[in-house]
Amino acid sequence: MKLLVVGGGGREHAIIKKLKENTAVDVIYALPGNGGMMDDAVCVDIKATDIEGIKAFAVEKQVDYVVVAPDDPLVLGCVDALREAGIPAFGPDKKAAIIEGSKVFSKNLMKKYGIPTAAYEVFDDAEKALEYVKTAPLPTVVKADGLALGKGVVIAMTREEAEEAVISAMKDKKFGASGDQIVIEEFLEGPEVSVLAFTDGKAMVPMVSSMDHKRAHDNDEGLNTGGMGTIAPNPYYTEDIAERCMQEIFLPTMNAMNAESRTFKGCLYFGLMITKDGPKVIEYNCRFGDPETQVVLPLLQSDLLTIMQAVTEERLSEVPVEFSKDAAACVIMASDGYPASYEKGFEITIPDAMKAHVYVAGASFKDGKLLTNGGRVLGVTAVEKDLRSAIKASYDMVSEIHFDNAYYRHDIGAKALKVLEG
Ligand code: AMP
Ligand code: GLY
């Protein structure tokens, strides 16, 4: 079989490595992929947002199945375009991807169907929003409506910060049209849990839970990033909480999307906060999380391609989706300075023996050398019997990998260990 994966980061590398476990797979094209994936995929320099280019390539190569991993091509309708060309693809169509593409849509959906989330107001007028933040309870959370490369959320501790966030999104257009509307919402408190779930609109099958570490520096200090590391399973996600999430959030979301004629087929990502009033939705993503995928898929024991095809064909309930009881930890090795400015082009050395566990997020391959080429460079994952061992094994690998200017957090999983071990 010929597969194609749209995207080029660590998440895509993890998906590709898992897909390759199926012996029917002959080749996987990655569009655009990156220089660190070349042992696992044929990388082709077509951008993930070039929908026509992706479609033309898939048709030309007679690709059997496509996985669209990132948010922007999904929101742009990549799966719809491939379907028109008769090529089956994993991921929601444009109508369903709006659950991530518009925060106004997702908040209104939750309100309409009684799905627990932070209280909120929507604004399309900057003056009204500025008026509102004069009296809103602090801290307050200001969110751009549309996609903003993970930077569209500001937790404002003061009125000045809230005003600044409104002005930068609505007046200065920092996120372009994504800031035409904003959501201002209640600040929630509690541990965060990420749950990725396969769904075909009929069945909802959550994967093992995980915990992201979004801040750049140790002890959750510094700027928000795409994610500096993950662990799975998340100890805050107890069986009781899982059952509540299924009944109060996951199934109601699937049913709500069906009722809106926006059946969601793909991987639905629930960003949850376990508040004192129970689990609430912080955000939906219409795709696998990055770097959640780098700990979740290594624990998947069933065949990923079989599951994905079953999702596309609406027979998810017929295939096994099983996870190991082990624990996984992923430490992101980034370029110092990320998520602000950083230098690129440093040589990366990874001992051959550990390459199976290293997901390459931002690298190029030049003159026989692997070079850093992004903010997040590598995701170093270890799977062990328990979380403590997985964290240790991951950091042991990190210590043997080298590139100049490497930066990583030293406390990935520390909070989770405290919950587990007291
Ligand atoms: P997002 O970009 O939507 O993933 O949001 C980034 C982070 O902001 C989340 O992971 C939360 O830590 C935080 N956040 C978002 N919304 C809220 C909220 N209503 N209350 C508290 N924290 C929030
Ligand atoms: N790690 C968070 C995300 O993928 O959005």
Side-chain angles (χ1 to χ4, degrees):
M1 280 184 81
K2 290 184 199 168
L3 307 186
L4 190 163
V5 173
V6 176
R11 163 185 55 202
E12 287 75 11
H13 200 186
I15 291 172
I16 287 167
K17 279 185 185 277
K18 200 73 200 174
L19 288 171
K20 262 182 64 176
E21 290 177 10
N22 183 315
T23 51
V25 174
D26 299 307
V27 61
I28 304 182
Y29 297 103
L31 274 54
N34 75 61
M37 293 181 187
M38 283 163 38
D39 292 343
D40 300 304
V42 177
C43 298
V44 181
D45 194 14
I46 295 176
K47 279 206 187 84
T49 47
D50 178 2
I51 308 300
E52 284 309 311
I54 293 165
K55 179 170 148 184
F57 181 86
V59 170
E60 182 201 320
K61 295 290 180 190
Q62 297 185 312
V63 165
D64 297 293
Y65 193 71
V66 179
V67 177
V68 184
D71 48 6
D72 25 14
L74 290 166
V75 170
L76 288 168
C78 192
V79 169
D80 312 56
L82 290 163
R83 193 194 294 146
E84 279 162 23
I87 299 170
F90 182 82
D93 60 14
K94 187 174 179 171
K95 269 182 93 176
I98 192 174
I99 198 164
E100 174 169 5
S102 168
K103 293 208 193 301
V104 173
F105 171 85
S106 66
K107 294 297 291 192
N108 289 344
L109 184 86
M110 287 186 270
K111 185 188 263 181
K112 181 169 173 188
Y113 293 93
I115 298 164
T117 188
Y120 70 102
E121 299 284 339
V122 174
F123 297 92
D124 54 17
D125 180 278
E127 298 313 323
K128 287 196 179 132
L130 288 170
E131 196 55 39
Y132 176 81
V133 298
K134 278 189 185 146
T135 55
L138 291 173
T140 192
V141 185
V142 180
K143 299 186 170 183
D145 171 51
L147 297 181
L149 298 168
K151 299 191 173 102
V153 175
V154 172
I155 315 270
M157 306 307 288
T158 64
R159 299 216 182 276
E160 292 69 38
E161 280 171 19
E163 281 168 16
E164 228 171 83
V166 170
I167 290 168
S168 103
M170 300 194 87
K171 290 196 169 176
D172 301 344
K173 296 279 168 215
K174 186 172 173 194
F175 313 110
S178 287
D180 288 351
Q181 291 190 88
I182 61 168
V183 170
I184 302 184
E185 71 178 27
E186 171 198 12
F187 177 77
L188 296 178
E189 282 178 280
E192 284 184 58
V193 179
S194 304
V195 178
L196 315 179
F198 292 110
T199 176
D200 58 359
K202 294 178 174 158
M204 173 63 75
V205 183
M207 299 178 225
V208 63
S209 62
S210 55
M211 182 192 287
D212 195 2
H213 297 69
K214 287 203 182 210
R215 300 297 202 91
H217 304 304
D218 289 4
N219 303 315
D220 292 330
E221 286 169 11
L223 295 173
N224 243 328
T225 71
M228 292 300 292
T230 38
I231 58 100
N234 185 324
Y236 289 107
Y237 194 69
T238 60
E239 271 178 38
D240 276 358
I241 295 284
E243 183 53 28
R244 281 191 69 174
C245 287
M246 191 58 149
Q247 299 308 328
E248 295 169 22
I249 296 173
F250 304 164
L251 291 172
T253 301
M254 182 181 87
N255 294 335
M257 290 298 276
N258 286 338
E260 296 290 314
S261 303
R262 294 178 185 272
T263 294
F264 188 103
K265 300 204 287 178
C267 171
L268 186 50
Y269 169 130
F270 298 91
L272 306 168
M273 198 169 265
I274 315 301
T275 73
K276 60 175 176 23
D277 304 321
K280 294 191 178 180
V281 177
I282 288 280
E283 62 162 348
Y284 292 116
N285 291 325
C286 66
R287 50 168 176 88
F288 284 92
D290 188 348
E292 284 87 345
T293 305
Q294 290 90 313
V295 285
V296 170
L297 288 188
L299 295 174
L300 177 64
Q301 289 174 321
S302 312
D303 180 58
L304 180 60
L305 180 59
T306 304
I307 298 168
M308 288 180 154
Q309 289 179 310
V311 166
T312 308
E313 292 161 16
E314 294 180 26
R315 44 178 188 77
L316 174 60
S317 64
E318 296 167 20
V319 300
V321 183
E322 266 150 37
F323 285 86
S324 108
K325 296 280 175 237
D326 292 347
C330 173
V331 176
I332 297 293
M333 297 183 74
S335 300
D336 193 18
Y338 170 76
S341 61
Y342 50 82
E343 286 180 73
K344 304 194 268 198
F346 300 109
E347 185 174 359
I348 306 167
T349 52
I350 307 170
D352 275 336
M354 66 173 60
K355 281 191 179 154
H357 307 279
V358 178
Y359 302 116
V360 183
S364 61
F365 193 74
K366 277 200 193 107
D367 304 326
K369 289 178 183 169
L370 194 59
L371 305 174
T372 64
N373 191 36
R376 291 191 290 181
V377 178
L378 304 174
V380 183
T381 295
V383 175
E384 295 287 341
K385 286 278 161 249
D386 58 76
L387 183 61
R388 177 172 285 281
S389 314
I391 294 168
K392 180 173 184 316
S394 174
Y395 278 108
D396 284 349
M397 290 198 282
V398 166
S399 70
E400 288 184 48
I401 295 173
H402 180 79
F403 53 91
D404 284 351
N405 258 14
Y407 174 80
Y408 56 88
R409 275 180 63 160
H410 300 82
D411 63 344
I412 300 303
K415 208 193 272 174
L417 264 190
K418 237 184 187 166
V419 177
L420 283 175
E421 300 178 355

